[in-house]
Amino acid sequence: MKSGFVDKLNEAITRSNSLLCVGLDPEVGKFPADFLPDAPTTARVKAFCLDIIAQTADLVCCYKPNSAFFEQYGAEGWDALCEVIAACHAADVPVLLDAKRGDIGSTAKAYARAVFDELDADAVTVSPYLGRDSIAPFLAYPGKAVFALCFTSNPSAAEVQQHGAPPLFERIAVQAQAWGNATQLGFVVGATQPEALATVRALAPDRWILAPGVGAQGGDVEAALSAGLDAQGSGMLVPVSRAVLYAENPRVAATTLRDQINAVRSDLTGFLKPVRSGKTDLILELFEAGCVKFGEFTLASGKTSPIYVDLRRVISFPEVFRRVVAAYVDVVNNLPFDHIAAVPYAALPAAAAVALQLGRPMLYPRKEVKAHGTGQAIEGAFEPGQTAVAIEDVVTSGGSISTAIQTMQDAGLKVQDVVVLVDREQGGQAALAEKGLRLHAILTISQILDTLRAEKCISDTMYAEVKRYLAA
């Protein structure tokens, strides 16, 4: 599955040890006088940006080209922007296009096609002023992300964004989280507004924040990071444009900024330990919620097990459940389907949340057909020939999943893909493959065990015992 924006971003952060995001805002009037003085303007713009990328690619986590500085030159400027974005990808650095798009209906869809299909950006800034439907076309692109304007860094932002009680920017920070999960939607909050940064971080603890304003706009690095970093010393992009682009030595300027940011991160959070992956955090949260247990348990098959994955508990922990749903959505979004199908009954809450998040219809096959009412074997509206993606919590041998899918296939539904949160790695994948089904597991039991041992949540003795059980 192709990596999404957040995966690319985390990889770049780890590789470059940096939260620095360089803004590519080329102003020809600020170029050195001897920089290709006789070349056409758009050729100079492109060459200038490519030179910055070449000098800084190993120092940054993201590039943020501002589309206006390219669009002003018409078709040639657009072509230059495409080549600049391609160069960022070639350097293995994700691209967040600063375009501040915001419209509704077919217009928003056209903007989204331009940003993601034509320009191939990984993320884009958007205006939430028109509401959910103005953002939805951008969120429909799997793996892509949007950053909604929340509290901007310009001097008069407060005239509108602090209006009301609660202020408008707080309303955006709360409401917009319902529009997309943490890998799809983040916020733009100016580094010049540390109080607003702290408020948004408190309201949206797991969202990425783009915090412009450091450098020429006067934002204080320490104040901004103190307010905006998440608990892991990450979760925040610090975009800087002019202070890098027009420095006497852009590479030295970028290095200095990166090191300055890292010094503050170290003081604040001790970030120098490896940044955890999203899967690591999910595993630890499931463990803390009691969804992964160790002892002696009897499984549905009648066999005993030293480990038990009880995902029915997750609905009692809203933050963990939201993360689980987001993980399902990230996988499901990349699959072809007409319906979300829950394997009864443990997966019903997650499947319902995924269907609601994606705005797609849901159904589920019953374990038993009711003797009263309609007597249907499948609950929900569908037509024979339509495709369903099955969602289950855990797969062991694959028996319950196969039974549920057979019920759906008997009713004329096509099912090829099964998405589970945890694969116990006890034959389920092979059993489903024999029936022509593709298993997509968010986590495996091995990943869970390795993570819990690495984080010292279980002993080496318990780890070895469970590994012996799984091997047998």
Side-chain angles (χ1 to χ4, degrees), residues 333-349:
N333 244 339
N334 289 281
L335 301 174
F337 66 94
D338 301 305
H339 296 268
I340 301 289
V343 176
Y345 288 106
L348 277 169

Side-chain angles (χ1 to χ4, degrees), residues 331-339 360 387-389 414 416-417 438 440:
V331 177
V332 171
N333 244 339
N334 289 281
L335 301 174
F337 66 94
D338 301 305
H339 296 268
R360 303 295 287 273
T387 300
V389 56
K414 298 178 182 178
Q416 290 184 317
D417 296 290
R438 295 186 294 253
H440 308 269

Side-chain angles (χ1 to χ4, degrees), residues 74 87 121 154 161 232 295 307 326 364 381 458:
N154 56 303
Q161 294 160 21
Q232 285 75 47
I307 183 171
Y364 70 92
I458 59 173

Side-chain angles (χ1 to χ4, degrees), residues 200-348:
V200 174
R201 174 53 72 206
L203 294 171
D206 66 343
R207 299 291 167 143
W208 283 91
I209 294 176
L210 178 69
V214 168
Q217 295 184 58
D220 181 78
V221 172
E222 184 171 359
L225 292 171
S226 298
L229 288 174
D230 65 16
Q232 285 75 47
S234 187
M236 185 175 171
L237 301 179
V238 183
V240 177
S241 299
R242 283 168 281 180
V244 172
L245 300 185
Y246 309 115
E248 183 176 351
N249 187 320
R251 180 170 179 81
V252 170
T255 302
T256 300
L257 280 164
R258 181 196 65 173
D259 293 348
Q260 181 184 2
I261 293 167
N262 282 347
V264 176
R265 291 172 72 198
S266 182
D267 289 343
L268 291 172
T269 65
F271 84 98
L272 292 174
K273 62 185 179 181
V275 177
R276 286 175 175 166
S277 71
K279 287 186 177 181
T280 296
D281 284 339
L282 176 57
I283 289 167
L284 293 176
E285 289 178 6
L286 290 170
F287 178 72
E288 290 166 5
C291 297
V292 180
K293 301 177 181 179
F294 296 87
E296 186 173 334
F297 306 94
T298 302
L299 304 179
S301 63
K303 297 179 180 179
T304 59
S305 170
I307 183 171
Y308 185 60
V309 182
D310 181 11
L311 295 177
R312 290 175 176 83
R313 287 177 58 89
V314 77
I315 58 175
S316 296
F317 301 86
E319 288 303 311
V320 186
F321 185 47
R322 185 168 56 78
R323 187 184 284 272
V324 165
V325 171
Y328 274 116
V329 167
D330 284 346
V331 177
V332 171
N333 244 339
N334 289 281
L335 301 174
F337 66 94
D338 301 305
H339 296 268
I340 301 289
V343 176
Y345 288 106
L348 277 169

